[in-house]
Amino acid sequence: LEVLDECVELKDRDNSTTPRAKHGRDLAEFLNSADADKEFNLVYQPRVCSATGDTKSIEALIRWNSPTLGQVSPAAFIPAAEKTGDIIWITEWALNAACATWTNWRDTQGRQMPLSVNISPVLFGDPRLVDTVSRVLKKTGFSPRSLQLEITEGLELHQHKTAAGTVAEIKKMGVRLSLDDFGTGYVSFAFLRSLGLDCLKVARKFVSKATTNPSEGAVLLAVRELGHRLGIKTIAEGIEDDVHANFVRALGYDEMQGYHFSKPVPANELANWLRKHPAVV
Ligand code: C2E
Ligand code: MG
Ligand code: MG
Ligand code: MG
């Protein structure tokens, strides 16, 4: 139900359809037979420095244009793919497409453009994830240090006994790690510290309510404080206007992301953004 609620919310945003409202058939069937190169594409959203406005990195977000269902939101099909196991090849497709697209892009210092790719937390219990990441890095020549994996703070993360080991192997490659939608899940402080995170992204819902509701503002402040004390960068997503931006900047968030700066856009449009707002890493 939560997923469907989110679909409705997302439908208003990007004209996506709610698959089940349109078709009785299971979404998973269409997903399993999807032709990735034809039906999937990636859009990119910049992450900007709160202090300077420079681009700090870009996040890849997947889109599915199904010939039968139309545009399906990732908030609907990613959970379905997690259940069926299709998530592993979808992840490899997304990682590969993102790294291949940006491998030759440089920041103002000539360093590689930092890139974030979302990885479902269920994959931290999958021994194939480490091989997938290293295979993509090898194939595309993308620098591990410029790649960041965003894991959603799902229940699955610490349920898997192998998650800590997977995280350690990924860190050993030099790849960075970020915890997404922080504040909505189940990660304990002990587990959070053990992950060796580079970034904490506070969930959008705290940002959207913070300027009118003091208790949401208190959560934002607490997350920023936790990050700073643990030496982890803090990022606020869902910045939609100046009020949000000024609020999280005043709280001391390192980076911001949201429609106020740019919606997620195709790579060629993001390249235009980067010409106007060069990456300073
Ligand atoms: P996320 O990683 O937390 O991404 C942020 C979501 O918020 C994106 O939705 C983005 O389009 C949206 N967003 C960004 N700025 C704003 C804003 O200012 N206001 C509002 N209202 N929304 C904003 P999207 O692209 O629909 O993705 C939803 C979720 O699906 C992502 O949340 C992520 O968890 C998952 N996802 C997306 N792409 C992938 C992927 O390639 N792999 C995996 N495993 N998950 C993905
Ligand atoms: Mg993300
Ligand atoms: Mg998020
Ligand atoms: Mg999310």
Side-chain angles (χ1 to χ4, degrees):
L1 270 179
E2 257 176 45
V3 168
L4 282 179
D5 280 351
E6 230 181 312
C7 284
V8 173
E9 181 201 322
L10 288 160
K11 185 184 170 184
D12 296 336
R13 276 220 317 269
D14 7 294
N15 274 330
S16 305
T17 47
T18 311
R20 263 193 247 175
K22 201 168 160 186
H23 283 264
R25 263 176 82 192
D26 196 355
L27 168 66
E29 277 176 52
F30 291 105
L31 197 55
N32 188 262
S33 57
D35 179 340
D37 288 329
K38 286 204 187 104
E39 298 177 35
F40 290 137
N41 69 288
L42 294 174
V43 287
Y44 299 90
Q45 190 180 34
R47 237 156 75 176
V48 306
C49 175
S50 303
T52 64
D54 295 327
T55 303
K56 283 293 178 186
S57 83
I58 58 179
E59 177 177 7
L61 294 155
I62 198 164
R63 296 291 176 262
W64 179 24
N65 188 8
S66 157
T68 328
L69 302 170
Q71 284 287 338
V72 185
S73 162
F77 76 81
I78 294 293
E82 289 172 345
K83 287 198 194 87
T84 59
D86 287 308
I87 191 67
I88 186 78
W89 65 263
I90 294 173
T91 300
E92 180 151 2
W93 182 87
L95 263 175
N96 191 65
C99 290
T101 301
W102 296 100
T103 197
N104 292 320
W105 198 279
R106 293 288 178 272
D107 75 355
T108 53
Q109 308 293 310
R111 281 173 299 215
Q112 187 154 40
M113 184 72 219
L115 179 68
S116 301
V117 179
N118 292 285
I119 307 285
S120 167
V122 303
L123 289 180
F124 283 81
D126 188 327
R128 294 171 297 178
L129 179 64
V130 174
D131 288 342
T132 300
V133 174
S134 74
R135 188 163 52 240
V136 169
L137 290 171
K138 210 168 152 194
K139 187 174 162 193
T140 59
F142 199 86
S143 158
R145 298 225 146 266
S146 300
L147 178 65
Q148 187 168 98
L149 305 184
E150 293 195 4
I151 329 165
T152 305
E153 190 201 8
L155 185 57
E156 303 88 349
L157 196 56
H158 60 150
Q159 271 182 344
H160 290 297
K161 289 192 183 69
T162 54
T166 305
V167 165
E169 282 194 63
I170 283 169
K171 297 282 299 178
K172 235 191 316 181
M173 287 183 221
V175 172
R176 321 264 166 154
L177 224 57
S178 151
L179 199 56
D180 205 345
D181 298 341
F182 183 62
T184 58
Y186 306 86
V187 170
S188 72
F189 286 126
F191 188 67
L192 186 144
R193 281 186 57 181
S194 77
L195 286 174
L197 293 172
D198 299 281
C199 296
L200 267 182
K201 288 182 92 168
V202 70
R204 185 174 80 222
K205 71 167 187 194
F206 297 114
V207 173
S208 54
K209 294 179 193 151
T211 48
T212 50
N213 182 342
S215 64
E216 309 282 347
V219 174
L220 279 190
L221 180 60
V223 171
R224 199 276 295 160
E225 191 62 20
L226 178 71
H228 282 199
R229 297 217 174 207
L230 295 178
I232 303 171
K233 264 194 191 170
T234 49
I235 298 160
E237 61 180 359
I239 305 297
E240 294 187 343
D241 54 34
D242 265 329
V243 179
H244 292 158
N246 293 336
F247 194 86
V248 305
R249 190 184 294 110
L251 287 178
Y253 274 80
D254 299 294
E255 294 175 23
M256 303 190 277
Q257 189 176 26
Y259 295 170
H260 182 53
F261 306 101
S262 170
K263 289 206 167 190
V265 292
N268 60 333
E269 277 181 54
L270 210 269
N272 289 335
W273 159 275
L274 287 168
R275 283 182 199 103
K276 285 184 225 135
H277 310 265
V280 181
V281 181

